[in-house]
Amino acid sequence: MIEFHVNNQPVSFDGAEDTPLLWVLRDHLDMRGTKFGCGIGRCGACTVHIDGQAKRTCITRVSSVAGRQITTIEGLAPTDNILHPVQVAWIEEDVPQCGYCQAGMIMAAVDLLQENAHPSDEDIKKKMTNLCRCGTYVRVRKAIHRAADLLAEGQ
């Protein structure tokens, strides 16, 4: 039995220890916000936070998260009525096109802003390695700058 927390709730998984965390989240915990994209950790659609850092769940074994805190896109907002500033910026800048990659993009952007409160365009380009088939990168960059401003304002 592997025990850990997802979005501040205790959970357990009684299955194969080498099961990717992605499939535990989606298939066993019914949390569908985290997406499957590539299965090799390159695209970033499966990004969540493990103990506050962005990680790709398609290559993370569930056994490696025992006792740890996982935050998914479903748990990012502080309350049901208040979105995280990155989510607000994503809406304000109209980032999503098809939306498939956006949960992972948002989780990666939150991680970036935790490390660097005011990233340059070059910082964003280096850190945001998530792939978007629709090419929303310009809007992603604008939203990250907007989110940095919102966070600086205390939102």
Side-chain angles (χ1 to χ4, degrees), residues 70-85:
I70 312 303
T71 304
T72 68
I73 192 70
E74 293 92 344
L76 186 61
T79 71
D80 288 342
N81 298 323
I82 300 172
L83 294 176
H84 187 281

PDB file of all heavy atoms in Angstrom, residues 70-85:
ATOM      1  N   ILE A  70       1.167  15.815  -3.512  1.00  0.00           N
ATOM      2  CA  ILE A  70       0.940  16.019  -4.946  1.00  0.00           C
ATOM      3  C   ILE A  70      -0.122  17.108  -5.091  1.00  0.00           C
ATOM      4  O   ILE A  70      -1.155  17.065  -4.423  1.00  0.00           O
ATOM      5  CB  ILE A  70       0.412  14.732  -5.635  1.00  0.00           C
ATOM      6  CG1 ILE A  70       1.217  13.504  -5.263  1.00  0.00           C
ATOM      7  CG2 ILE A  70       0.283  14.933  -7.138  1.00  0.00           C
ATOM      8  CD1 ILE A  70       2.672  13.563  -5.551  1.00  0.00           C
ATOM      9  N   THR A  71       0.138  18.054  -5.982  1.00  0.00           N
ATOM     10  CA  THR A  71      -0.881  19.047  -6.323  1.00  0.00           C
ATOM     11  C   THR A  71      -1.140  18.940  -7.811  1.00  0.00           C
ATOM     12  O   THR A  71      -0.220  19.033  -8.617  1.00  0.00           O
ATOM     13  CB  THR A  71      -0.428  20.478  -5.977  1.00  0.00           C
ATOM     14  OG1 THR A  71      -0.073  20.528  -4.591  1.00  0.00           O
ATOM     15  CG2 THR A  71      -1.538  21.482  -6.261  1.00  0.00           C
ATOM     16  N   THR A  72      -2.390  18.719  -8.153  1.00  0.00           N
ATOM     17  CA  THR A  72      -2.806  18.642  -9.557  1.00  0.00           C
ATOM     18  C   THR A  72      -3.492  19.945  -9.935  1.00  0.00           C
ATOM     19  O   THR A  72      -3.755  20.808  -9.085  1.00  0.00           O
ATOM     20  CB  THR A  72      -3.788  17.475  -9.769  1.00  0.00           C
ATOM     21  OG1 THR A  72      -5.018  17.776  -9.102  1.00  0.00           O
ATOM     22  CG2 THR A  72      -3.218  16.158  -9.260  1.00  0.00           C
ATOM     23  N   ILE A  73      -3.833  20.081 -11.191  1.00  0.00           N
ATOM     24  CA  ILE A  73      -4.545  21.271 -11.654  1.00  0.00           C
ATOM     25  C   ILE A  73      -5.856  21.447 -10.883  1.00  0.00           C
ATOM     26  O   ILE A  73      -6.269  22.562 -10.595  1.00  0.00           O
ATOM     27  CB  ILE A  73      -4.779  21.239 -13.190  1.00  0.00           C
ATOM     28  CG1 ILE A  73      -5.252  22.593 -13.714  1.00  0.00           C
ATOM     29  CG2 ILE A  73      -5.727  20.113 -13.577  1.00  0.00           C
ATOM     30  CD1 ILE A  73      -4.211  23.670 -13.694  1.00  0.00           C
ATOM     31  N   GLU A  74      -6.482  20.339 -10.486  1.00  0.00           N
ATOM     32  CA  GLU A  74      -7.732  20.415  -9.729  1.00  0.00           C
ATOM     33  C   GLU A  74      -7.541  21.033  -8.348  1.00  0.00           C
ATOM     34  O   GLU A  74      -8.481  21.589  -7.778  1.00  0.00           O
ATOM     35  CB  GLU A  74      -8.364  19.025  -9.560  1.00  0.00           C
ATOM     36  CG  GLU A  74      -8.865  18.397 -10.832  1.00  0.00           C
ATOM     37  CD  GLU A  74      -7.838  17.508 -11.523  1.00  0.00           C
ATOM     38  OE1 GLU A  74      -6.631  17.593 -11.198  1.00  0.00           O
ATOM     39  OE2 GLU A  74      -8.246  16.731 -12.401  1.00  0.00           O
ATOM     40  N   GLY A  75      -6.338  20.946  -7.809  1.00  0.00           N
ATOM     41  CA  GLY A  75      -6.074  21.459  -6.465  1.00  0.00           C
ATOM     42  C   GLY A  75      -5.278  22.749  -6.442  1.00  0.00           C
ATOM     43  O   GLY A  75      -4.904  23.218  -5.367  1.00  0.00           O
ATOM     44  N   LEU A  76      -5.016  23.332  -7.593  1.00  0.00           N
ATOM     45  CA  LEU A  76      -4.181  24.528  -7.654  1.00  0.00           C
ATOM     46  C   LEU A  76      -4.882  25.764  -7.090  1.00  0.00           C
ATOM     47  O   LEU A  76      -4.270  26.558  -6.383  1.00  0.00           O
ATOM     48  CB  LEU A  76      -3.740  24.795  -9.097  1.00  0.00           C
ATOM     49  CG  LEU A  76      -2.750  25.928  -9.302  1.00  0.00           C
ATOM     50  CD1 LEU A  76      -1.443  25.662  -8.547  1.00  0.00           C
ATOM     51  CD2 LEU A  76      -2.471  26.111 -10.787  1.00  0.00           C
ATOM     52  N   ALA A  77      -6.146  25.930  -7.389  1.00  0.00           N
ATOM     53  CA  ALA A  77      -6.896  27.096  -6.906  1.00  0.00           C
ATOM     54  C   ALA A  77      -7.063  26.996  -5.388  1.00  0.00           C
ATOM     55  O   ALA A  77      -7.356  25.926  -4.868  1.00  0.00           O
ATOM     56  CB  ALA A  77      -8.261  27.164  -7.579  1.00  0.00           C
ATOM     57  N   PRO A  78      -6.877  28.111  -4.678  1.00  0.00           N
ATOM     58  CA  PRO A  78      -6.986  28.059  -3.217  1.00  0.00           C
ATOM     59  C   PRO A  78      -8.390  27.709  -2.713  1.00  0.00           C
ATOM     60  O   PRO A  78      -8.528  27.095  -1.672  1.00  0.00           O
ATOM     61  CB  PRO A  78      -6.572  29.461  -2.767  1.00  0.00           C
ATOM     62  CG  PRO A  78      -6.565  30.313  -3.972  1.00  0.00           C
ATOM     63  CD  PRO A  78      -6.498  29.423  -5.169  1.00  0.00           C
ATOM     64  N   THR A  79      -9.423  28.090  -3.442  1.00  0.00           N
ATOM     65  CA  THR A  79     -10.801  27.728  -3.093  1.00  0.00           C
ATOM     66  C   THR A  79     -11.572  27.500  -4.388  1.00  0.00           C
ATOM     67  O   THR A  79     -11.086  27.812  -5.480  1.00  0.00           O
ATOM     68  CB  THR A  79     -11.523  28.832  -2.294  1.00  0.00           C
ATOM     69  OG1 THR A  79     -11.788  29.940  -3.150  1.00  0.00           O
ATOM     70  CG2 THR A  79     -10.702  29.291  -1.079  1.00  0.00           C
ATOM     71  N   ASP A  80     -12.785  27.015  -4.248  1.00  0.00           N
ATOM     72  CA  ASP A  80     -13.633  26.824  -5.432  1.00  0.00           C
ATOM     73  C   ASP A  80     -13.995  28.141  -6.102  1.00  0.00           C
ATOM     74  O   ASP A  80     -14.307  28.185  -7.278  1.00  0.00           O
ATOM     75  CB  ASP A  80     -14.917  26.075  -5.054  1.00  0.00           C
ATOM     76  CG  ASP A  80     -14.663  24.610  -4.745  1.00  0.00           C
ATOM     77  OD1 ASP A  80     -13.596  24.091  -5.149  1.00  0.00           O
ATOM     78  OD2 ASP A  80     -15.516  23.990  -4.093  1.00  0.00           O
ATOM     79  N   ASN A  81     -13.962  29.231  -5.333  1.00  0.00           N
ATOM     80  CA  ASN A  81     -14.389  30.533  -5.854  1.00  0.00           C
ATOM     81  C   ASN A  81     -13.239  31.441  -6.261  1.00  0.00           C
ATOM     82  O   ASN A  81     -13.473  32.504  -6.815  1.00  0.00           O
ATOM     83  CB  ASN A  81     -15.246  31.257  -4.815  1.00  0.00           C
ATOM     84  CG  ASN A  81     -16.512  30.490  -4.504  1.00  0.00           C
ATOM     85  OD1 ASN A  81     -17.112  29.875  -5.376  1.00  0.00           O
ATOM     86  ND2 ASN A  81     -16.907  30.503  -3.249  1.00  0.00           N
ATOM     87  N   ILE A  82     -12.010  31.052  -5.942  1.00  0.00           N
ATOM     88  CA  ILE A  82     -10.852  31.895  -6.232  1.00  0.00           C
ATOM     89  C   ILE A  82      -9.823  31.085  -7.014  1.00  0.00           C
ATOM     90  O   ILE A  82      -9.335  30.065  -6.528  1.00  0.00           O
ATOM     91  CB  ILE A  82     -10.204  32.423  -4.929  1.00  0.00           C
ATOM     92  CG1 ILE A  82     -11.220  33.240  -4.140  1.00  0.00           C
ATOM     93  CG2 ILE A  82      -8.965  33.242  -5.244  1.00  0.00           C
ATOM     94  CD1 ILE A  82     -10.736  33.633  -2.751  1.00  0.00           C
ATOM     95  N   LEU A  83      -9.496  31.534  -8.208  1.00  0.00           N
ATOM     96  CA  LEU A  83      -8.491  30.853  -9.022  1.00  0.00           C
ATOM     97  C   LEU A  83      -7.086  31.288  -8.620  1.00  0.00           C
ATOM     98  O   LEU A  83      -6.892  32.380  -8.081  1.00  0.00           O
ATOM     99  CB  LEU A  83      -8.716  31.166 -10.499  1.00  0.00           C
ATOM    100  CG  LEU A  83      -9.996  30.627 -11.128  1.00  0.00           C
ATOM    101  CD1 LEU A  83     -10.115  31.112 -12.564  1.00  0.00           C
ATOM    102  CD2 LEU A  83     -10.031  29.112 -11.064  1.00  0.00           C
ATOM    103  N   HIS A  84      -6.127  30.456  -8.929  1.00  0.00           N
ATOM    104  CA  HIS A  84      -4.716  30.824  -8.755  1.00  0.00           C
ATOM    105  C   HIS A  84      -4.414  31.960  -9.745  1.00  0.00           C
ATOM    106  O   HIS A  84      -4.976  32.001 -10.843  1.00  0.00           O
ATOM    107  CB  HIS A  84      -3.841  29.607  -9.045  1.00  0.00           C
ATOM    108  CG  HIS A  84      -2.401  29.814  -8.744  1.00  0.00           C
ATOM    109  ND1 HIS A  84      -1.571  30.508  -9.607  1.00  0.00           N
ATOM    110  CD2 HIS A  84      -1.641  29.446  -7.690  1.00  0.00           C
ATOM    111  CE1 HIS A  84      -0.356  30.535  -9.090  1.00  0.00           C
ATOM    112  NE2 HIS A  84      -0.376  29.906  -7.919  1.00  0.00           N
ATOM    113  N   PRO A  85      -3.531  32.897  -9.397  1.00  0.00           N
ATOM    114  CA  PRO A  85      -3.214  33.995 -10.319  1.00  0.00           C
ATOM    115  C   PRO A  85      -2.753  33.542 -11.705  1.00  0.00           C
ATOM    116  O   PRO A  85      -3.042  34.228 -12.695  1.00  0.00           O
ATOM    117  CB  PRO A  85      -2.104  34.758  -9.585  1.00  0.00           C
ATOM    118  CG  PRO A  85      -2.388  34.509  -8.142  1.00  0.00           C
ATOM    119  CD  PRO A  85      -2.893  33.086  -8.087  1.00  0.00           C
TER     120      PRO A  85
END
